[in-house]
């Protein structure tokens, strides 16, 4: 083994930089010094407000108190993503479906999706056939209960957070400083390389030369160390994903008493609009293709979509997006995390999770100062795998859209590339629903999630494959009917038992009227991100 790494220098003070600092401080021995250098002049991107279900686990591991987090970051709960208008049904009407944090059951050993495709579920869509999350969403409820007697019909539910990105970075920064992170507010103006091409030191505008061992490049879309200094190529995903710009706006809740417990993604003319409901406001925006809309056209379309929700005179902030990734995430003694490592459009809110995973892989493949090739290559392989997985899953949404009302949607279906892997899977899934064998190394998007998209978009009823799935054809109807009766009863019981989302948030923030217990922690979270869902 070479000399041990005893110092980690993080460049960048956005979500990536501060998450890295806090997470590594929690996981590394105090003898490892952690320094974070942040420019006082370059702002953070300031968006990125929806997460995936691993987030509660990560916060817990960093010792961040749920209630403090909920209050300080104006956080709310997320049960999944609602997709509006991405596809049309046989009559040309827009379809709405949910991609929930819930797994379908097996009925007599067979996934519910096969039965659903064979026999339908009356007037319930696929997700409602087994899960109450759509009903909770529509009733402004969340997967937690308040002061409820009796057995909880859904004691465990996966959930993630919506959070205020700026406040979250602030909370992490405060915590990092309190826990001994050295924080330098200065600009990195230059990077000094040694004779092997490794980063030897950073040249800071005010403080001068800062020698380094392991460097984490968290400088956002600039990729200051990994691309600019080390020259690692940036592989664009422009051939795969057409959206290259976003505009963001914060709007008040139309009715402050009502807060949705899911992110919404609504397809517009040349992209899609996100709506992330926090406790105190909604973060919204439009991700679009500059080949199909100018900024002015997109702003007009976006504001028309918001209607009365947009404050008078609102001017959305335009954010150019560099979509793609650094060819390798780890080069020499530098690892790129966050936007410097790569970015795939935020349709599935995966970016913060990818930072989280990058940190966990770093701990698995922790280097010595020899920066062994095998260790670095192993890290880069898992990082590649995750980028490919996320890219393919996002591509699926565009390839399987069936809108014909704007050239953007037709181009998305016919002009954008998909990987060979996705091409093969889509060929296979014409005949059958996804199985665990099809996506064996999935980090995030398991076969169940692919199934939710295929059935949510109603692709089998609209010309994909031959309509009839081989496996579904052979299934008996009786067990499915029995299951549907049980699940309808359970959905009703869950809806009755679970509480209004806003009231739960008020309780967690300690802002409900006296007499109600408001200082109870969220239930224990297990490794899969599912939580006990009875709060009180
Ligand atoms: C439109 C949009 C929507 C998104 N939505 C989501 C979402 O819902 N969920 C999700 O998980 N992610 C989302 N993301 C991604 C998310 O915003 C980012 O992954 C996250 O904010 C991390 O950003 P970052 O820290 O890498 O970069 P930034 O926030 O850009 O921070 C870069 C840091 O580097 C510093 N810096 C730059 N140059 C220098 C220098 N020379 N010297 C010193 N410091 C320097 C800056 O000062 C800053 O502190 C979204 C992104 C976009 C664009």
């Amino acid at each position: 083994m070479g000399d041990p790494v005893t110092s980690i220098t993080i460049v960048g003070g956005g979500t990536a930089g501060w998450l890295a600092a806090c997470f590594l401080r929690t996981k590394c021995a105090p003898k490892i010094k952690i320094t974070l250098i942040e420019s006082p002049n370059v702002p953070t991107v300031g968006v990125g407000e929806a997460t995936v279900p691993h987030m509660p686990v990560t916060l817990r591991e960093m010792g961040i108190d749920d209630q403090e987090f909920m209050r300080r970051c104006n956080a709310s709960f997320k049960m999944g993503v609602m997709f509006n208008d991405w596809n049309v049904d046989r009559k040309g009407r827009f379809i709405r479906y949910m991609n929930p944090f819930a797994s379908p059951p097996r009925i007599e050993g067979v996934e519910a999706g096969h039965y659903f495709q064979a026999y339908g579920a009356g007037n319930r869509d696929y997700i409602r056939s087994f899960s109450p999350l759509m009903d909770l969403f529509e009733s402004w409820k969340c997967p937690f209960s308040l002061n409820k007697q009796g057995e909880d019909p859904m004691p465990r539910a996966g959930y993630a957070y919506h959070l205020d990105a700026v406040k979250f970075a602030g909370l992490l920064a405060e915590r990092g400083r309190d826990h001994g992170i050295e924080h330098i507010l200065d600009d990195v103006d230059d990077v000094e390389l040694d004779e092997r091409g490794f980063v030897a030191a950073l040249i800071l505008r005010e403080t001068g030369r800062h020698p380094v061992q392991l460097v984490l490049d968290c400088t956002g879309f600039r990729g200051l160390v990994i691309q600019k200094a080390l020259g690692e190529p940036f592989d664009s995903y422009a051939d795969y994903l057409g959206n290259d710009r976003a505009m963001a706006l914060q709007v008040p809740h139309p009715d402050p008493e009502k807060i949705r417990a899911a992110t919404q993604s609504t397809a517009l003319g040349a992209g899609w609009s996100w709506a992330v409901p926090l406790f105190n406001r909604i973060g919204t925006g439009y991700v679009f293709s500059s080949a199909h809309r100018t900024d002015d056209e997109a702003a007009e379309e976006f504001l028309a979509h918001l209607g009365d929700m947009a404050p008078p005179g609102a001017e959305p902030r335009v954010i150019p997006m560099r979509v793609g990734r650094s060819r390798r995430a780890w080069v020499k003694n530098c690892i790129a995390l966050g936007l410097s490592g790569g970015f795939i459009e935020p349709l599935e809110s995966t970016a913060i999770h990818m930072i989280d995973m990058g940190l966990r892989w770093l701990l698995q493949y922790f280097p010595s100062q020899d920066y062994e090739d095998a260790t670095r290559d192993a890290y880069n392989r898992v990082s590649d795998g995750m980028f490919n997985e996320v890219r393919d899953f996002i591509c699926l949404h565009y390839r399987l859209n069936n809108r014909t009302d704007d050239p953007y949607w037709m181009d998305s279906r016919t002009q954008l590339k998909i990987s060979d892997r996705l091409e093969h899977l889509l060929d296979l899934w014409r005949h059958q629903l996804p199985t665990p064998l099809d996506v064996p190394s999935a980090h995030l998007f398991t076969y169940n999630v692919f199934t939710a998209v295929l059935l949510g978009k109603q692709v089998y009823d609209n010309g994909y494959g031959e309509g009839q799935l081989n496996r579904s054809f052979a299934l008996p109807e009786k067990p499915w009917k029995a299951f549907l009766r049980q699940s309808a009863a359970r959905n009703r019981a869950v809806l009755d038992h679970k509480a209004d989302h806003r009231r739960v948030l008020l309780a967690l923030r300690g802002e409900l009227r006296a007499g109600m217990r408001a200082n109870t922690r969220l239930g224990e979270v297990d490794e899969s991100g599912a939580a006990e869902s009875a709060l009180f």
Side-chain angles (χ1 to χ4, degrees), residues 10-19 36-52 55 78 161-163 165 169 184-190 203-205 217-224 245-248 263 272 274 276 285-287 317 319-322 337-355:
I10 299 164
V11 190
T15 305
W18 280 112
L19 186 59
L36 186 142
I37 303 169
E38 172 183 9
S39 163
N41 301 308
V42 182
T44 61
V45 71
V47 282
E49 307 206 310
T51 64
V52 299
M55 193 68 181
K78 171 179 170 184
Y161 297 122
H162 300 126
L163 50 85
I184 300 175
L185 261 183
D186 205 344
D187 286 278
V188 175
D189 277 345
D190 205 356
I203 310 303
L204 307 189
R205 193 170 300 168
D217 181 347
C218 300
T219 56
F221 285 130
R222 292 164 182 245
L224 186 81
R245 286 178 95 69
M247 51 184 59
T263 305
W272 57 276
W274 76 84
V276 175
Y286 184 16
V287 173
R317 176 167 66 100
I319 306 168
M321 300 191 305
R322 187 183 69 149
L337 284 171
L339 299 174
S340 63
F343 179 59
I344 299 175
E345 65 169 68
L347 187 59
E348 292 286 344
S349 329
T350 41
I352 298 174
H353 180 71
M354 289 166 89
I355 300 166

Side-chain angles (χ1 to χ4, degrees), residues 23 25 37 44 60-61 63 71 77 97 99 110-111 132 156 168 189 222 224 313 325 376 405 459 470 508 524 526 532:
F23 190 77
R25 187 65 292 156
I37 303 169
T44 61
R60 215 36 84 72
E61 284 180 7
R71 199 174 49 245
F77 292 111
Y97 70 93
N99 198 352
V110 180
E111 272 83 9
R156 301 180 78 76
F168 182 52
D189 277 345
R222 292 164 182 245
L224 186 81
R325 67 182 168 112
R376 183 203 57 214
D405 55 322
V459 293
N470 299 345
L508 274 169
E524 286 307 307
D526 69 22
E532 296 293 344

Side-chain angles (χ1 to χ4, degrees), residues 367-395:
S368 76
Q369 287 198 58
D370 280 354
Y371 301 101
E372 301 80 5
D373 290 353
T375 309
R376 183 203 57 214
D377 292 349
Y379 180 100
N380 284 333
R381 265 195 302 278
V382 281
S383 175
D384 276 3
M386 177 151 236
F387 266 96
N388 292 341
E389 177 184 339
V390 174
R391 184 199 58 201
D392 284 357
F393 188 66
I394 304 296
C395 287

Side-chain angles (χ1 to χ4, degrees), residues 291 303 312 423 500:
L303 292 172
E423 189 93 55
D500 175 75

